[in-house]
Amino acid sequence: MMHQNNNVTEFILLGLTQDPLRQKMVFLIFLIFYVGTVVGNMLIIVTIKCSRSLGSPMYFFLFYLSFADSCFSTSTAPRLIVDALSTKKVISYNECMTQVFALHLFGCMEIFVLILMAADRYVAICKPLHYPRIMRRQVCLILIILAWIGSFIHSTAQIILALRLPFCGPNLIDHYCCDLQPLLKLACMDTYKINLLLVTNSGAICSSSFMLLMISYIVILHSLRNHSAEGRKKALSTCTSHIIVVVLFFGPCIFIYTRPPTTFPMDKLVAVFYTIGTPFLNPLIYTLRNAEVKNAMRKLWHVKTVSESKR
């Protein structure tokens, strides 16, 4: 993977802070966040997998959103947590490139799944009579496969850009993870064209997806006028959860990836919000605002408790 003009074999991540006391706070806070993210998303995955009542396309897509969230957070959080207690936060060149690939693979997958969830809600609310025919299981499976393919193509494009960057030193990355934006600052070449490709790729995906999602939800909310009061309440509750997730995820992404090659002191905190904060909040949003998921979790827990008591 080593670039032929690359004199750097490893990078040093400066992390979120250099203060020893704050580093301990970072370790504790983000350990709680990461454990909560994995446990929360795995709970949703197991509940959807084991519950017959959650067999609709919406929960099929939620299954993959939770999986992408867990992997997306895992691509950055464990190293942030370990480095918080390390004296020298070293990451090898190959590990850094792997992290760039994983970050964009699962981040892009999350974007595509959110689009599929919006499409599912649009068909369910605006085309209810055609919903069973359009959102068949085979169609949903094909859409998920296409989402994985699209994510792989995007992350491959990102890693190709990263591998083209020559690093002559210094090797200090003012961030807690490897991504193209902080790496561009270290490259010993003119990075204008590469940054333009970055904005065209990641920036365009974030911006266009956000606009598409918001337009779709505006259309959905507008069409709710023709539904009954109970139908409006249920659809509004589901759509509100989706809109909250979309805003929380895309806001920071657009801020990071759709601008010239400049860095701000707040970049690391913004990145924390969408790489660790959003995956942590998603299970809370989808369970606390979704009666079907909560009921399925209660039934699953009740069945487990009864089976254990019989033993």
Side-chain angles (χ1 to χ4, degrees):
M1 290 180 69
M2 192 70 67
H3 194 283
Q4 59 180 357
N5 296 322
N6 190 7
N7 298 326
V8 173
T9 59
E10 62 183 24
F11 298 100
I12 297 174
L13 297 167
L14 296 181
L16 291 175
T17 178
Q18 300 297 304
D19 182 79
L21 179 60
R22 289 181 179 177
Q23 285 180 345
K24 291 177 182 177
M25 291 174 62
V26 166
F27 171 81
L28 183 61
I29 291 170
F30 288 102
L31 178 63
I32 294 170
F33 267 69
Y34 180 61
V35 171
T37 298
V38 174
V39 171
N41 282 294
M42 288 306 298
L43 187 59
I44 290 178
I45 288 170
V46 171
T47 302
I48 293 172
K49 196 71 176 175
C50 299
S51 177
R52 293 182 180 179
S53 62
L54 302 180
S56 67
M58 184 177 76
Y59 298 112
F60 176 79
F61 294 134
L62 180 57
F63 175 93
Y64 285 97
L65 180 67
S66 296
F67 177 76
D69 270 337
S70 297
C71 296
F72 187 50
S73 184
T74 300
S75 67
T76 57
R79 176 162 288 277
L80 171 61
I81 293 164
V82 172
D83 284 350
L85 298 182
S86 302
T87 53
K88 197 174 182 182
K89 306 167 179 59
V90 177
I91 182 170
S92 70
Y93 178 88
N94 288 345
E95 287 175 331
C96 183
M97 295 301 110
T98 302
Q99 189 175 57
V100 171
F101 182 83
L103 186 69
H104 285 272
L105 175 68
F106 296 112
C108 191
M109 183 61 185
E110 184 163 349
I111 288 174
F112 287 148
V113 174
L114 287 171
I115 291 172
L116 293 178
M117 292 177 77
D120 172 71
R121 289 301 84 202
Y122 171 79
V123 178
I125 294 170
C126 301
K127 310 275 185 183
L129 297 177
H130 302 286
Y131 182 77
R133 179 176 58 84
I134 296 173
M135 301 303 294
R136 300 191 308 275
R137 191 74 172 184
Q138 298 91 330
V139 173
C140 294
L141 188 59
I142 291 170
L143 290 173
I144 283 294
I145 292 171
L146 290 175
W148 278 115
I149 293 172
S151 301
F152 182 79
I153 291 171
H154 164 73
S155 53
T156 300
Q158 297 299 98
I159 201 68
I160 288 172
L161 292 178
L163 290 171
R164 289 179 61 189
L165 297 173
F167 301 103
C168 313
N171 64 341
L172 296 175
I173 299 178
D174 188 16
H175 214 287
Y176 63 87
C177 69
C178 285
D179 198 4
L180 273 172
Q181 286 285 17
L183 286 173
L184 286 174
K185 289 181 64 180
L186 302 181
C188 47
M189 66 175 287
D190 183 6
T191 59
Y192 175 78
K193 290 182 179 178
I194 291 183
N195 186 77
L196 196 62
L197 291 172
L198 174 64
V199 172
T200 304
N201 190 344
S202 297
I205 289 175
C206 290
S207 301
S208 59
S209 298
F210 179 71
M211 290 176 62
L212 179 65
L213 286 165
M214 294 312 295
I215 290 170
S216 67
Y217 282 118
I218 290 170
V219 173
I220 290 170
L221 294 174
H222 184 263
S223 69
L224 288 177
R225 297 179 306 166
N226 303 323
H227 288 66
S228 63
E230 185 179 348
R232 275 200 305 270
K233 184 180 178 182
K234 185 178 179 181
L236 191 61
S237 176
T238 303
C239 290
T240 302
S241 300
H242 292 194
I243 292 169
I244 291 171
V245 170
V246 166
V247 172
L248 290 177
F249 183 79
F250 282 95
C253 281
I254 292 171
F255 176 79
I256 294 292
Y257 292 112
T258 57
R259 66 174 199 231
T262 54
T263 56
F264 299 104
M266 66 181 74
D267 282 355
K268 289 188 282 189
L269 292 178
V270 173
V272 162
F273 199 77
Y274 76 87
T275 57
I276 298 173
T278 305
F280 173 76
L281 291 173
N282 281 357
L284 297 175
I285 293 169
Y286 282 111
T287 52
L288 294 178
R289 295 188 60 86
N290 194 308
E292 289 181 333
V293 175
K294 286 190 288 186
N295 291 334
M297 284 182 177
R298 290 193 194 100
K299 288 178 182 178
L300 187 65
W301 181 257
H302 177 70
V303 169
K304 183 181 178 182
T305 305
V306 170
S307 62
E308 288 180 353
S309 63
K310 286 181 179 179
R311 290 178 184 177

